Amino acid sequence: MHSSLSRRHLFGGGAALGLAAVLPYDLAQAQTPSGNLRVGMTASAVPLPNGMPDQGAEGHRFMGITIYDHLVTWDLSISDRPAPLRPGLATAWRVDPANPKRWIFTIREGVKFHDGKILTAEDVVFSYNRAFKNDAPEFDPRGSAQVRGRMPTLVNWYAEGPNTFIVETRTVDSLVPYGATWTGITHRAAWEAAGRDNDKFLQQPVGTGPFKLESFNIRERAILTRNADYWDAPRVPKVARVTLLPLPEANTRVAALRSNQVDFIEAPPPDAIPSLRQAGFNIVMNQYGHNWTWHFNRKEGSPWNDVRVRRGANLAIDRAGMKEMLGGTMAEGGGLVPVGGPWNPVRSPRLTYDQAAAKRLLTEAGITPRTPLRTKVAISSSGSGQMQVLAMNEALQQQLKEVGIEVTFEVFDWNSLLGTWREGAGAASARGCDAINVSYTALDPYTAIVRLVKSDLAPPVANNWGFFNDPAYDALITRIYETFDITAQDALVKELHDKVLDDALFLFVAHDMNPRAMSSKVHGFVQAQSWFQDLTPISLS
């Protein structure tokens, strides 16, 4: 194992940057009667309950798919294969045979909002106005920032009667159903009851989801209660309530679990897992589409424009050593999706650990330990999916220094880092960084690859942070958009991913195994192969 990757290094990573395992407030207040699932999140604040929550996809997991439903959703009831799409508030969707840029969604009949109002297609129109229509009175800019980039081809939407919702796109876009999994559906009366005020709406949101919001304090907690009248009877929650607690520091989460202040924590530190198991806590993890990468600035003058530098950096990374450091809670980075599926069936030789080859490439580019490349990387102090972010980045820093790349870090709060990701390289918020370490879900062709490399999806449109621009990539993505046959589409996505690997467009480090620790009294949880998870089957003994 590489000398820099020790378990001791991991355990001390937070302390190295001045973080302490101190409870941020009196968690004893969260101790509640039986039937309340208390969750310690990695987020530094409670995600916004507006149907388009912040705090990354963790916000969507805990405050998106809990309070709200979406036109299309994921089947999170299985754990032995990647979660597939399933009908949500739309029972069916199809492309108009006369116009491939027009999608027709059939709205489920008889669904009730939390306040008893019956869902119609007009509620879907209202919800999409909140997300995508800048001049609508109900437009929510904070929510829009979270979902607008999920459907970049969207140009028009409207109802045709009470049970039909129409989406029109700028170009043919076969990936529309994936985008429809992100915008939660509410209705105008709830917003009007809040005085037509999006801030006040946060205290009294109304969706159709399996949970209702009882209370919300952005820095302290949110309490969700069971929706006994939920339309999907098998998914009526088994617990009376869920308390969500923001605990961004990993050791704080462990301390809260050990002291019975929470029942369920996200991302326990690997060094704590053996002792948690020994103490009777359950540890669950599963593979899924998730990336832990560095994105490179590709604007003129960036040192990462040289493919030799990008390939050299990738060859310098000891991914197997990092996996050992993390106690097996990661898979070695194999690209923008884990190795093994139709888009990435075989590990690329570009991602082997070969320090000598890395030095040769970097020397060709004029970079050596004596004449180093000095670069700055934006990272977070914690956050959804960021794993053991401080220790991992410190390990990368040491490995890259050995081949002539000297890295300094700009440390952001997770939500601020996501804002920087959306604003792009060169923005003032990037603080002069030429790379950004950000993790994200990679469940479909758009979220996994397309939004990261298509030239017209650079900020503020979507997540091509480095402003990468290559007509060959754009042409291949257009073919993916125009291909509706899944087998043929998979072949094109593989071709796209192969190009990404050949060109070393990112620093590929890890795929998260999404570990969670929970009390022995927590039963029924199914860890889906997805970033999103279903809390409704959970019961407490």
Side-chain angles (χ1 to χ4, degrees), residues 185-480:
I185 306 303
T186 186
H187 69 97
R188 183 178 298 275
W191 175 72
E192 290 177 345
R196 301 167 66 90
D197 185 321
N198 284 320
D199 288 332
K200 292 180 180 177
F201 180 74
L202 297 177
Q203 296 294 336
Q204 52 193 77
V206 176
T208 64
F211 293 94
K212 305 176 184 181
L213 184 70
E214 179 179 285
S215 63
F216 168 73
N217 184 314
I218 195 167
R219 292 299 172 193
E220 185 176 329
R221 76 195 62 208
I223 298 176
L224 313 181
T225 59
R226 176 177 184 263
N227 178 10
D229 298 320
Y230 186 50
W231 59 269
D232 189 358
R235 294 188 59 244
V236 173
K238 306 295 190 296
V239 292
R241 60 178 54 192
V242 173
T243 298
L244 301 174
L245 301 160
L247 301 176
E249 208 284 311
N251 291 325
T252 303
R253 293 194 294 277
V254 171
L257 183 65
R258 288 185 180 278
S259 59
N260 192 32
Q261 295 173 323
V262 296
D263 310 297
F264 180 121
I265 64 171
E266 302 271 292
D271 274 23
I273 287 176
S275 62
L276 286 170
R277 281 197 175 109
Q278 189 174 17
F281 294 98
N282 293 322
I283 306 295
V284 294
M285 63 181 79
N286 204 350
Q287 67 179 28
Y288 70 117
H290 176 273
N291 289 321
W292 198 97
T293 56
W294 285 7
H295 289 218
F296 299 132
N297 177 9
R298 298 301 306 277
K299 288 188 168 184
E300 186 176 354
S302 170
W304 299 108
N305 282 333
D306 190 329
V307 68
R308 297 171 298 181
V309 178
R310 301 193 304 272
R311 287 176 178 166
N314 271 289
L315 288 168
I317 302 307
D318 181 7
R319 297 170 183 83
M322 186 169 286
K323 179 178 180 179
E324 184 176 342
M325 182 185 85
L326 293 176
T329 61
M330 64 163 266
E332 297 173 38
L336 289 176
V337 290
V339 176
W343 308 335
N344 188 22
V346 180
R347 174 168 294 277
S348 169
R350 302 287 191 191
L351 300 181
T352 57
Y353 173 46
D354 189 336
Q355 222 180 44
K359 287 180 177 179
R360 285 195 299 271
L361 280 169
L362 292 167
T363 299
E364 288 178 17
I367 297 168
T368 71
R370 290 186 176 184
T371 57
L373 163 65
R374 293 183 173 90
T375 190
K376 189 162 58 169
V377 181
I379 69 172
S380 67
S381 55
S382 65
S384 171
Q386 291 291 81
M387 304 174 67
Q388 308 307 316
V389 60
L390 304 177
M392 292 169 72
N393 274 302
E394 287 170 353
L396 294 178
Q397 182 184 47
Q398 183 171 335
Q399 291 179 358
L400 291 172
K401 184 176 182 179
E402 293 174 10
V403 297
I405 301 174
E406 294 188 359
V407 176
T408 57
F409 295 123
E410 282 285 330
V411 184
F412 294 74
D413 165 81
W414 173 231
N415 222 34
S416 299
L417 187 79
L418 288 174
T420 299
W421 191 37
R422 287 190 292 268
E423 292 174 11
S429 63
R431 303 179 195 170
C433 293
D434 273 320
I436 186 170
N437 165 224
V438 64
S439 63
Y440 43 88
T441 184
L443 302 179
D444 59 80
Y446 179 78
T447 60
I449 312 175
V450 170
R451 62 177 174 150
L452 310 177
V453 299
K454 197 168 188 292
S455 63
D456 63 0
L457 297 182
V461 178
N463 302 113
N464 179 356
W465 181 81
F467 293 83
F468 173 72
N469 189 335
D470 187 322
Y473 279 78
D474 290 345
L476 182 52
I477 290 168
T478 296
R479 292 171 63 197
I480 292 170

Side-chain angles (χ1 to χ4, degrees), residues 22 71 105 120 139 190 196 280 289 381 390 410 448-449 460 521 539:
V22 178
L71 290 178
F105 290 84
T120 71
F139 180 69
R196 301 167 66 90
S381 55
L390 304 177
E410 282 285 330
I449 312 175
K521 64 184 179 182
S539 62

Side-chain angles (χ1 to χ4, degrees), residues 508-525:
F508 306 103
V509 181
H511 303 293
D512 190 8
M513 291 291 285
N514 219 4
R516 294 177 169 88
M518 56 195 68
S519 163
S520 60
K521 64 184 179 182
V522 175
H523 304 284
F525 177 64

